[in-house]
Amino acid sequence: MSKQAATVAKGPAGETAEYVFVTPELAVAWLAVNIDRNRNMRKSRINGYVRDIQGDRWVVTGEAIKFDTEGRLVDGQNRCQAIVAAGKGAWVLVVRGISEDALVVLDSGSARNTGDMLVITGLADRADAKDVGAIARLYTAYKAGDVKHAASHIGGHSGLTKSEMADAVMSIPDIEFAARHARGMYRYLRLPVSALGVAFLEFSKLDVDDTAEFFNRIRDGIQNGPGDPFLTLSRRVSNDLQAGSSRRILPGQALFYLFRTWNAFREGEALVKLQVGSPQAGFTPIPVPK
């Protein structure tokens, strides 16, 4: 959108709305009049906005930066802070003159989540959208080196904006097929669907036939006694789940289980233990699938 003469729309109670190209300097001025009781700034969201602005992925969604009747900033502080941090301007919708009555219901609606975005844009079917998004998020974090060991979390700086999510989904071949496959496998191995999907994608790059056999053995419960990697995997997952919520299986931990089992399966190695480590001794690195 190029700079042009502003067109101001007026509401029934004197509110105004217009699209404004917000420079970092203007964003600083707006933050200076931020309302005292505004919500805490969300660093992860600000970082995502910064990446979108600097990567020229920022789009005008119709979500407005809002000021009340006293000229105070009541909604949009994260976007303003992102523009400052990016050192680069961005177009936004600006609404001024929000009344006290409007402030009561501000943000009370249900926001569209990432799954909604994937469905609306046609990047995923509704039945698969949640799983596609989870797989894309974990796959991106793993490839970026943010999931390194069995206790790795994803989130914070590893989170994706909706634009980054769309780019990730479009760049990962067969991700919808992987999501459906992972959802089906979850019935037989209660690991996070995101990890099952990433494992399917990574293993398929190495050997399609071995990938099919690997997951078929999990599905069919084919185990050959002590030292069999699939028996060890099954027992470890069962033990973790029986231990309750305090032993919730995280995506990084699930990747460690799957990748370690895959390597043992491919190399004909006896596997009697899946040891994740501890905070004191250090957590076990996630092996590279071979």
Side-chain angles (χ1 to χ4, degrees):
M1 183 183 294
S2 59
K3 295 184 181 181
Q4 54 188 321
T7 300
V8 180
K10 294 186 177 181
E15 308 93 342
T16 64
E18 63 177 317
Y19 286 102
V20 177
F21 186 80
V22 183
T23 63
E25 294 76 18
L26 182 55
V28 168
W30 286 357
L31 287 167
V33 294
N34 195 7
I35 195 168
D36 292 337
R37 60 180 183 276
N38 213 337
R39 295 172 296 181
N40 292 332
M41 292 191 184
R42 297 177 60 180
K43 186 175 181 180
S44 61
R45 178 167 293 182
I46 292 170
N47 290 342
Y49 288 157
V50 169
R51 294 195 301 271
D52 279 349
I53 293 169
Q54 292 181 335
D56 293 325
R57 290 187 301 268
W58 181 264
V59 294
V60 178
T61 63
E63 184 180 0
I65 289 178
K66 305 179 185 75
F67 294 86
D68 67 8
T69 54
E70 302 298 321
R72 298 172 298 184
L73 178 67
V74 296
D75 189 22
Q77 59 179 352
N78 290 325
R79 279 161 285 169
C80 287
Q81 188 63 52
I83 289 170
V84 174
K88 186 176 180 180
W91 283 95
V92 297
L93 176 64
V94 178
V95 175
R96 296 182 174 88
I98 297 294
S99 67
E100 287 290 333
D101 291 339
L103 293 177
V104 173
V105 298
L106 190 64
D107 291 332
S108 63
S110 177
R112 287 192 175 99
N113 58 29
T114 300
D116 295 329
M117 179 275 293
L118 294 175
V119 173
I120 291 168
T121 57
L123 292 175
D125 292 334
R126 183 166 297 280
D128 303 324
K130 180 179 178 182
D131 296 332
V132 168
I135 292 169
R137 189 175 295 110
L138 179 59
Y139 186 90
T140 302
Y142 170 69
K143 288 299 188 181
D146 293 329
V147 184
K148 297 179 180 178
H149 54 71
S152 292
H153 291 260
I154 60 171
H157 68 280
S158 297
L160 299 178
T161 67
K162 289 185 175 67
S163 295
E164 289 171 332
M165 175 64 75
D167 289 345
V169 169
M170 288 188 291
S171 69
I172 302 172
D174 301 320
I175 189 170
E176 277 200 270
F177 182 81
R180 290 191 289 273
H181 180 273
R183 175 54 60 186
M185 288 305 306
Y186 180 76
R187 296 197 297 268
Y188 306 99
L189 188 67
R190 298 287 177 162
L191 291 176
V193 171
S194 58
L196 290 166
V198 170
F200 177 82
L201 291 168
E202 289 295 280
F203 299 166
S204 296
K205 294 176 186 176
L206 298 171
D207 192 300
V208 173
D209 291 337
D210 277 358
T211 300
E213 183 179 351
F214 180 88
F215 286 107
N216 285 343
R217 287 188 62 172
I218 292 173
R219 181 197 63 197
D220 297 336
I222 299 174
Q223 300 166 357
N224 296 319
D228 182 275
F230 296 95
L231 176 61
T232 301
L233 172 65
S234 176
R235 285 180 173 175
R236 180 61 202 247
V237 172
S238 295
N239 290 340
D240 283 354
L241 295 177
Q242 289 172 4
S245 59
S246 62
R247 293 289 296 279
R248 183 170 64 90
I249 302 176
L250 300 170
Q253 186 174 346
L255 282 185
F256 166 72
Y257 290 167
L258 290 164
F259 288 7
R260 181 69 182 90
T261 302
W262 166 265
N263 285 348
F265 157 67
R266 292 260 285 171
E267 295 169 5
E269 173 193 353
L271 182 65
V272 297
K273 185 182 294 186
L274 285 167
Q275 188 68 42
V276 300
S278 68
Q280 295 75 27
F283 291 105
T284 308
I286 296 172
V288 176
K290 300 177 181 178

